[in-house]
Amino acid sequence: MTSNDSLQRLAGIIESRKPGQGGDPETSYVARLLHRGPDAFLKKIGEEATETVMAAKDLDHGGDPAKLVGEVADLWFHTLIALAHYGLSPADVIAELDRRAGTSGIEEKALRKAQAREAGDN
C-alpha cells in the first residue's frame, strides 16, 4: 500500500463520518469534530502544529523521533478532517505538490507574492 493509498483510505473513513453520511457525534471523534464545525477542528490543527514544532525542537536535544512522527500523524489526520469538511481530498493536495515539483521554492514564493500584489491592484 502506498502512502497515497493510506491517505485516500483514511480520507474515505473521514468522509463516512460526516453528519450527512450518518456519522454519529456520540460514537465517533471525527463526527464530533465535524458536527462542532470548523472552530473545533481548526483549533485541533493549531494544537497539533504546535505539538509538532515542539517534538521537532526536542529532537535537537535528544528527543524521541517517534514523538515527532506521532505528532505529524496527528497533524495530518486533523488536516484531513478540514479537507473533508471543505469538500477537498488528499488527491487535491498531492496534485498541488505535483504541480510545484521542479519549481524552486524561492521562485514559487515570489510568484505567489506577485500574484497577490496583482490581485490587490485590481
Side-chain angles (χ1 to χ4, degrees):
M1 180 178 284
T2 68
S3 300
N4 192 31
D5 291 338
S6 295
L7 288 173
Q8 290 298 347
R9 180 187 53 76
L10 183 54
I13 292 168
I14 291 169
E15 191 69 27
S16 75
R17 301 296 198 270
K18 284 182 166 181
Q21 302 293 329
D24 182 357
E26 296 298 318
T27 60
S28 167
Y29 173 71
V30 171
R32 186 175 310 138
L33 282 177
L34 289 168
H35 177 76
R36 289 181 179 165
D39 285 349
F41 58 78
L42 295 174
K43 179 180 176 186
K44 285 301 296 180
I45 290 171
E47 290 171 5
E48 298 304 342
T50 299
E51 290 170 6
T52 298
V53 169
M54 292 179 351
K57 296 289 276 178
D58 286 349
L59 280 178
D60 291 331
H61 305 284
D64 181 1
K67 179 76 172 156
L68 177 59
V69 170
E71 294 302 343
V72 170
D74 290 345
L75 179 60
W76 286 12
F77 175 76
H78 288 90
T79 57
L80 288 172
I81 293 171
L83 287 172
H85 174 79
Y86 293 110
L88 299 166
S89 74
D92 296 308
V93 177
I94 301 285
E96 176 61 14
L97 291 171
D98 287 345
R99 185 191 67 76
R100 293 180 185 185
T103 303
S104 158
I106 293 170
E107 291 171 11
E108 176 73 20
K109 188 173 182 178
L111 177 61
R112 285 195 310 264
K113 282 184 178 181
Q115 289 170 337
R117 276 194 305 272
E118 287 176 17
D121 291 342
N122 292 333

